[in-house]
Amino acid sequence: MSPLEKYWESPLVQSRLGDEKVARLVVAYSGGADSLALLHVAVKAQTKPVVALHINHGLHQDADHWQALCEAQCKALAIPITCISVSVQQSGSLEENARNARYAAFADFLRHDDLILLAHHADDQLETAFFNLLRGSAVPGVLGMPIERPVGAALLFRPLLGLPRSVLQAYCQQHELSWVEDTANQDTSYDRGYLRHEVLPALKQRWPDAALTLGRAVDRDNDMRQLLESIAKNDLESCRQDHGLRVQMLLDLSHLRRENLMRAWIIEAGFTHPTKNLLRSVFDDLLTAGEHAEPLVWWKDFEIRRFNNAIYLLRKDSATLPGDAVCFDASLPLSLGVGTLRCVSHTGGGLLTADTNLSVRGRVGGEKIQLHGKTRTLKKILQEQGVPPWLRDKLPLVYCDDVLVAIPGIQRWRVQPLVASGYSTESHEQGLSLWFEEN
């Protein structure tokens, strides 16, 4: 029995493969030696149906030829293969864009009872850990690839992280298997290629077990991250205020726990991992700002703002209301780029439905509205209503001819809709409540 086959029978691998919730093993098959060894041993020792999934990125001139070889290999193994062509964004990091396209294809293909197997091994883990260390990953500890994680409705599993690349290649040679050689893997102009061919060979010559040693460090630090995540989860629950975090509760935490909480909060919302400098600027610029200040910290795809003794995490958005008035049919939702204006019909209160000549405009400054017989400035009303400062210029205003007749409510912020004097219904009349839903 080969080292790969012995490893395949280990409790670490079999405990996951034998899970009764798993109905099908899906092998991510590129055609290279690593994924071919994984596919072959999975088919040879299969206890559940095995299918191959090939992603054609279309980035290499031989991509279609590789796909044909994968199809031929699967035919020889008598297993089904699905080939999916993806479009890879050319701007930015091509490697990262290809990865994103590949994982999106995985998520679309997989069923909830699938287990998708990837052929990453100990040398890949070594490369990943060094790559993350050198680029200054904001995640604490030595960060590598997790042995398993969710992908779409299914679970991803990397069963070969405890084996070096040489074992997989020896397995292919032993079984006289032919595999694809991607010349891009030899290109040292890429960071990973440089690590693989220039840096790590020298490292392993001095410390032959470097891959397995660093793999243990990844496992150790992953356990520590799980502990930190558990602490962050408890702290988050204590600090939450609706969809924000209470400033005073954050200030009461030590700076390490506060940064741990903030990191978890940002990641939970699906945004990019924050840097330590960013987390420190949240304390310096937001948490210690004056009570009535309107500070802002932003980075990449998100921004953090302070309002009413809480901080809020928002997606960066440069959208604005249309410059010109937009006709408004109260019977239909109105999409405005910054959000959607909707009407709810009810008896008693609200805007008179007889006022059909309605339009929507953005705020320009100096607007006034009559409420309860008194003329009030829009600026003062928005402050009193608790409309967050960053939404005040995005809130659509409803006019009848040239008269401001209604200010929509915002349920997310518990802001109630207002209707101008002379335009609201009596208790027995049918009226409209206007609500704005921000994007």
Side-chain angles (χ1 to χ4, degrees), residues 242-243 307 314 321 338-342 344 363 378 381-397 406-418 433-439:
D242 296 330
H243 45 282
F307 176 60
L314 309 164
L321 282 167
V338 295
T340 302
L341 183 62
R342 302 181 189 276
V344 178
R363 183 183 177 199
L378 178 65
I381 290 169
L382 296 182
Q383 290 174 345
E384 292 175 353
Q385 287 285 91
V387 177
W390 59 89
L391 283 183
R392 293 172 190 172
D393 289 336
K394 295 185 177 183
L395 186 64
L397 306 174
I407 304 171
I410 313 173
Q411 289 181 327
R412 177 176 169 85
W413 295 94
R414 297 186 180 134
V415 174
Q416 295 300 310
L418 297 175
S433 288
L434 294 95
W435 296 94
F436 176 62
E437 299 172 8
E438 58 185 292
N439 285 342

Side-chain angles (χ1 to χ4, degrees), residues 239-257:
C239 293
R240 286 193 195 276
Q241 176 176 296
D242 296 330
H243 45 282
L245 300 178
R246 287 177 284 183
V247 168
Q248 190 56 53
M249 295 292 290
L250 291 169
L251 290 173
D252 289 342
L253 295 173
S254 69
H255 79 277
L256 291 176
R257 282 182 67 174

Side-chain angles (χ1 to χ4, degrees), residues 170 208 319 348 352 427-428:
L352 278 167
S427 60
H428 63 281

Side-chain angles (χ1 to χ4, degrees), residues 224-238:
M224 292 301 299
R225 276 192 294 276
Q226 290 183 35
L227 177 60
L228 291 173
E229 288 167 7
S230 177
I231 295 171
K233 182 179 179 180
N234 290 334
D235 287 342
L236 270 173
E237 293 308 310
S238 299

